[in-house]
Amino acid sequence: MGVSDAYSRGRRLVVDQPATLVVTVVGVLLLLDLVVQLVTGVLPPTRLARYLWTGLRLGLIYGLAGIGLSLTYSILSFANFAHGEYLTVGGFSGWAVAFLVGGYGVAELSDLLLVQANPGVSITSTPLAVVLGLVGAIVVTVLVALVLDRLVYRPMRGADGISLLIASVGVAFILRYLVAFVFDVNVRGVTGGTVSYNVGGLPINAHDITLVAVSVVLMLGVHVLLQRTKLGKAMRAMADNKDLARVTGIPTERVIRWTWMLGAGLAGAAGYLVVLTRGSIIFDFGWILLLFIFAAVILGGIGSVYGAIAGGIIFGVASNVSRVWLTGPWSDLADPVAFLLLIVILLVRPQGLFGGVTTA
Amino acid sequence: MSADVRSRLAALDRPVRDALMVAGMMLGLYAVFWVVGSTLGYDASGIFSLFATLTLFVGVYALAVLALNLQWGYAGLFNIGVAGFLAVGAYSFGMLSGSPTGSPPGLGLPFVVGVVGAMLVTAFVGLLTAFPALRLRADYLAIATLALSEIIRLTVLSRPASEFTVGGVTLGTGGGQGYRNFPANPVDGLFETPVGDAILVAADGIFGVTRQPVVEDFVYALVVVCLVGVVYWLLSRTANSPFGRVLKAIREDELVASSLGKDTRMFKVKVFMFGCALMGLCGVLWQVYGLNSVVPNTFRPDITFYIFIALIIGGSGSNTGSVLGAGLFAGVLFLLPQNINRLLGEVGFLQGISSPNSFAGAVGPLASLDVTPFVGYVLGNIDELRFVVVGVLLIYLMQRRPEGLLGHRIEPAAAVDLRTRPADHRPTAADGGDSDGGDDDE
């Protein structure tokens, strides 16, 4: 009985979803190879730990930014190509605030506001500047998103997804090049040095810890918001069925506004934090991250907030651990492989890991 | 446009009208660039150099936009991986026709084999993309094709691909250094023959253009324009063929098309491959011989979006619109701003206006009502600002005129021209009732 059951289930898998099977087999083989490499000592555990740690940090950024992308996708029904620029806006505005607080009196005011003079802000030497910078990033990005919604997306409510997508490409161009116009196009270092700890041969600095702590707190906040508040319930209802939500008296416009605020705020925070750990900023960093964020969100199941978080972490970790196999000159292919993974996910399981469940 | 001109235009046959519109746009662009060139004090060679660049850009953009229009405008396939297909065309041409002794070495096949091969390779990559990707929804297809174009760019850029050996044959992309090992441009070869000499004499005699490279560039641009004409004709024929009508049906409602017994997936695959082959050709004409610089980073997604914007300006679904959009984008939005700064300096507008090197230096004096530093800064950073303008334009079009200049024309689905019916006999709207028919939509 059990044997024939398993047989028929296996048969169904092979016949119906050969691609899923191939992907699973490849995944299992890679995992086995990883274990073998670890046991035989080909791969030192600290190197793997380094990949995991880098991957986790990136993954949290993808997850944090992905929440907004996922929410706009499920509630406003379009893929927002300007979401990467929200990270850029958050990065620049947040660091302008952090510089202003941390470098007041040290450097020219205008240079601080334009993120030009580096006053050496860090979480250990000037914690207040870093925290206020984070707040500034969130506030400015939320304001920008609200203005954009009013000017661009609100007149287009009810337009089809592709029109909105194209309009969001326009928004992306405007934001990216306005940032370039105001802050100029050069890459520059922004943070000062900070304390580094040695955890079992793995160097972990205070900025990385800040990133992880802030991301986890924000994600927990989103969880509470979605599960415990009326707004969260309204959001989930709207993601499920907009017409039904409207009929039952949910103020859809207000929910949309909150969606933008929540998504943009988290994106702004993510942009600020990624600059904190990288230590440098450039006008198109958010745009470059966008495809990775898309990949993470699609992996988790677009439309699902928890999917975005889980997808972000899995994608960040997996794309970094791929460096176990992609060594030397082949490490150039880590990003292409990550994008290939995105396409494979789209083909094999477009509904993502958490698919079918929206915003819950 | 005055009502009189409009009504006279409307009385013309569509092909004549389309040709007039394209010719009018090109003449307008030439006039603008002539004014720019002569204000800058350029001699005939200098002005023709501007013309050559303008013609080339309009040509290559038109080719890319036409190919995209076939996929997006006719079949509704949202492909935003155009940059990747351009790259595949340019690089595969290099690998096929590049000299075997060059670096990185190519296969040394004849030029024509290289061009046709590049189109076939791009079509094949299109096939690889199409078969699985067509199962996806439009926005997922967009993300997948964008990711594909990044995969292609990053792979071409990577160290393992810069030179590799397969079955004893060494090939390569040159990595970040770019690829230079292309066969000589046949148009330049023309100038080693009596025909070329005659052209040079004529260019000098009629227009006073003395510099040979300018004449060569201009002739090359004209060759590209002729190819665009051929592609335009081919696509117009395709659009009005039964094949093209099925494509439009798929765009409007795929379910209906398939329930009428059309294998919509095969149609989509074919049209995707066809469009990709044209993009491959465009890659060869644009990057290899047009700009002479094939480096992976020119194939960033931005270039895809430029082509898309050109298509949206012109109006997706219309081949003439595609050409018009390409001309307006390449001429007015892309090339003109590069000259504006120089131009204003020449006419004395910028004399005494310094360009501050930071935004603060530009905004600060505004408090004391001194706008000149701000103007100077704006003009100094016009490169960034033109993309802001492009973004604004894109949003405006999506909100106010999503059909662009010429999009959503009523498609002739019958062999007879429905417009020739008597005026009192109102034809059924052929566009699903979105309009009441008639000339407004054309």
Side-chain angles (χ1 to χ4, degrees):
Chain A
M1 191 66 184
V3 176
S4 73
D5 240 19
Y7 171 78
S8 64
R9 223 182 309 136
R11 202 185 128 89
R12 232 179 302 134
L13 186 69
V14 174
V15 174
D16 294 344
Q17 292 171 306
T20 317
L21 189 73
V22 171
V23 171
T24 319
V25 168
V26 170
V28 169
L29 283 178
L30 284 177
L31 217 63
L32 280 178
D33 184 56
L34 187 71
V35 174
V36 170
Q37 282 200 26
L38 269 178
V39 172
T40 53
V42 179
L43 175 72
T46 47
R47 218 174 88 206
L48 181 65
R50 211 167 58 232
Y51 293 141
L52 288 172
W53 178 237
T54 316
L56 175 73
R57 272 153 43 207
L58 262 179
L60 284 170
I61 292 296
Y62 297 153
L64 210 52
I67 292 171
L69 197 61
S70 204
L71 276 177
T72 41
Y73 191 91
S74 62
I75 292 181
L76 291 141
S77 315
F78 78 104
N80 182 10
F81 269 71
H83 200 74
E85 269 60 36
Y86 290 1
L87 271 79
T88 313
V89 168
F92 274 92
S93 56
W95 282 97
V97 172
F99 274 23
L100 211 57
V101 176
Y104 188 76
V106 181
E108 196 86 30
L109 209 60
S110 60
D111 286 349
L112 291 173
L113 264 175
L114 293 175
V115 199
Q116 294 287 0
N118 185 348
V121 172
S122 82
I123 187 72
T124 41
S125 62
T126 52
L128 184 68
V130 172
V131 171
L132 288 180
L134 177 68
V135 174
I138 295 173
V139 170
V140 173
T141 317
V142 164
L143 290 177
V144 167
L146 286 179
V147 169
L148 285 169
D149 181 52
R150 182 72 196 75
L151 295 177
V152 180
Y153 301 114
R154 206 166 117 187
M156 299 180 73
R157 287 277 192 268
D160 64 311
I162 296 294
S163 301
L164 286 163
L165 190 159
I166 295 170
S168 79
V169 171
V171 172
F173 268 96
I174 294 175
L175 286 181
R176 194 184 326 152
Y177 287 100
L178 271 183
V179 166
F181 178 72
V182 173
F183 294 94
D184 102 36
V185 294
N186 297 324
V187 56
R188 59 247 191 194
V190 289
T191 51
T194 186
V195 195
S196 191
Y197 308 95
N198 192 325
V199 183
L202 184 70
I204 294 177
N205 71 40
H207 284 160
D208 300 341
I209 297 171
T210 313
L211 176 139
V212 173
V214 173
S215 318
V216 170
V217 167
L218 287 175
M219 284 170 179
L220 284 175
V222 172
H223 167 74
V224 172
L225 180 90
L226 280 179
Q227 298 301 334
R228 297 289 157 84
T229 65
K230 223 171 161 180
L231 173 70
K233 214 182 251 180
M235 275 182 174
R236 286 186 286 148
M238 263 192 79
D240 266 349
N241 188 331
K242 256 171 276 323
D243 293 329
L244 193 59
R246 198 171 291 129
V247 170
T248 42
I250 289 172
T252 48
E253 270 302 315
R254 204 186 310 162
V255 175
I256 289 173
R257 207 155 52 231
W258 276 103
T259 304
W260 279 116
M261 290 171 71
L262 185 62
L266 294 174
Y272 178 80
L273 291 170
V274 80
V275 173
L276 178 73
T277 53
R278 278 186 188 176
S280 66
I281 197 165
I282 187 167
F283 77 103
D284 60 357
F285 80 88
W287 164 238
I288 291 169
L289 282 175
L290 181 69
L291 259 189
F292 295 98
I293 300 171
F294 261 124
V297 168
I298 287 168
L299 173 65
I302 196 157
S304 154
V305 165
Y306 299 109
I309 296 172
I313 294 169
I314 296 171
F315 187 77
V317 169
S319 63
N320 259 282
V321 170
S322 74
R323 289 173 197 275
V324 169
W325 297 279
L326 298 169
T327 52
W330 292 96
S331 63
D332 287 2
L333 290 175
D335 284 352
V337 167
F339 291 144
L340 197 65
L341 193 68
L342 162 69
I343 295 179
V344 170
I345 300 160
L346 274 174
L347 294 174
V348 176
R349 201 177 155 80
Q351 73 273 36
L353 298 177
F354 290 65
V357 196
T358 43
T359 325
Chain B
M1 211 189 299
S2 75
D4 182 43
V5 177
R6 196 178 277 252
S7 62
R8 243 189 272 171
L9 263 179
L12 293 167
D13 272 349
R14 181 180 282 174
V16 179
R17 204 168 4 143
D18 287 0
L20 276 179
M21 277 194 283
V22 172
M25 179 197 68
M26 281 318 289
L27 284 178
L29 285 175
Y30 283 132
V32 169
F33 277 76
W34 181 75
V35 169
V36 169
S38 50
T39 317
L40 286 171
Y42 289 180
D43 60 354
S45 297
I47 289 178
F48 264 77
S49 171
L50 281 181
F51 283 2
T53 314
L54 173 69
T55 316
L56 175 76
F57 268 82
V58 174
V60 290
Y61 265 99
L63 194 56
V65 175
L66 281 169
L68 187 63
N69 183 42
L70 183 68
Q71 296 178 342
W72 163 239
Y74 281 122
L77 297 169
F78 198 65
N79 171 14
I80 47 173
V82 182
F85 295 110
L86 293 177
V88 171
Y91 276 96
S92 50
F93 172 65
M95 287 190 210
L96 287 170
S97 282
S99 148
T101 54
S103 167
L107 293 176
L109 297 171
F111 172 81
V112 179
V113 178
V115 175
V116 175
M119 291 176 72
L120 291 177
V121 171
T122 325
F124 179 70
V125 176
L127 175 73
L128 287 185
T129 326
F131 255 124
L134 293 182
R135 290 168 42 200
L136 300 171
R137 293 170 32 187
D139 40 3
Y140 281 174
L141 176 65
I143 295 164
T145 48
L146 180 60
L148 177 85
S149 85
E150 281 293 89
I151 290 173
I152 291 169
R153 178 178 72 86
L154 293 167
T155 306
V156 163
L157 188 61
S158 69
R159 280 167 286 171
S162 68
E163 194 158 316
F164 55 91
T165 308
V166 189
V169 184
T170 305
L171 289 170
T173 63
Q177 317 242 290
Y179 194 94
R180 295 255 172 280
N181 181 20
F182 293 105
N185 189 343
V187 173
D188 292 349
L190 183 76
F191 285 88
E192 278 148 29
T193 65
V195 182
D197 292 337
I199 295 176
L200 282 176
V201 170
D204 190 9
I206 302 171
F207 301 108
V209 181
T210 46
R211 275 188 281 148
Q212 183 172 342
V214 172
V215 182
E216 286 179 2
D217 285 352
F218 196 72
V219 171
Y220 176 68
L222 289 180
V223 170
V224 171
V225 168
C226 291
L227 282 170
V228 173
V230 173
V231 170
Y232 177 91
W233 173 80
L234 193 67
L235 292 183
S236 302
R237 290 297 298 256
T238 309
N240 288 324
S241 69
F243 180 77
R245 290 202 291 272
V246 174
L247 293 181
K248 290 174 210 162
I250 293 174
R251 175 190 66 191
E252 296 304 327
D253 196 329
E254 190 177 346
L255 196 64
V256 169
S258 61
S259 63
L260 287 171
K262 301 296 176 193
D263 184 354
T264 54
R265 267 192 73 188
M266 271 323 285
F267 274 94
K268 283 167 142 186
V269 169
K270 280 183 204 157
V271 82
F272 204 78
M273 289 176 70
F274 188 16
C276 288
L278 291 177
M279 287 171 192
L281 174 67
C282 184
V284 176
L285 296 174
W286 186 343
Q287 302 296 332
V288 177
Y289 291 128
L291 298 181
N292 260 325
S293 73
V294 180
V295 279
N297 281 347
T298 47
F299 300 105
R300 284 182 186 280
D302 303 53
I303 210 169
T304 304
F305 289 116
Y306 301 162
I307 293 163
F308 235 98
I309 291 161
L311 176 60
I312 290 166
I313 292 173
S316 62
S318 161
N319 287 323
T320 312
S322 301
V323 176
L324 287 179
L328 290 177
F329 180 83
V332 180
L333 289 172
F334 197 82
L335 292 176
L336 197 57
Q338 296 178 353
N339 291 299
I340 285 182
N341 200 0
R342 252 182 295 164
L343 187 71
L344 292 176
E346 191 59 34
V347 296
F349 186 75
L350 284 184
Q351 258 127 47
I353 298 184
S354 60
S355 174
N357 52 16
S358 90
F359 187 68
V363 176
L366 283 178
S368 51
L369 295 178
D370 182 7
V371 292
T372 45
F374 189 74
V375 174
Y377 186 74
V378 166
L379 292 171
N381 291 279
I382 211 155
D383 242 17
E384 280 92 51
L385 281 182
R386 67 179 162 161
F387 292 117
V388 177
V389 173
V390 164
V392 172
L393 184 72
L394 201 52
I395 294 169
Y396 174 83
L397 283 171
M398 288 333 285
Q399 287 184 349
R400 299 290 164 84
R401 204 176 159 77
E403 73 274 21
L405 291 176
L406 291 181
H408 280 286
R409 304 165 129 199
I410 295 171
E411 304 291 353
V416 293
D417 191 350
L418 297 173
R419 291 175 305 145
T420 55
R421 285 187 186 180
D424 57 315
H425 187 284
R426 233 181 140 67
T428 321
D431 55 354
D434 283 342
S435 76
D436 6 298
D439 287 326
D440 286 353
D441 296 273
E442 304 200 18

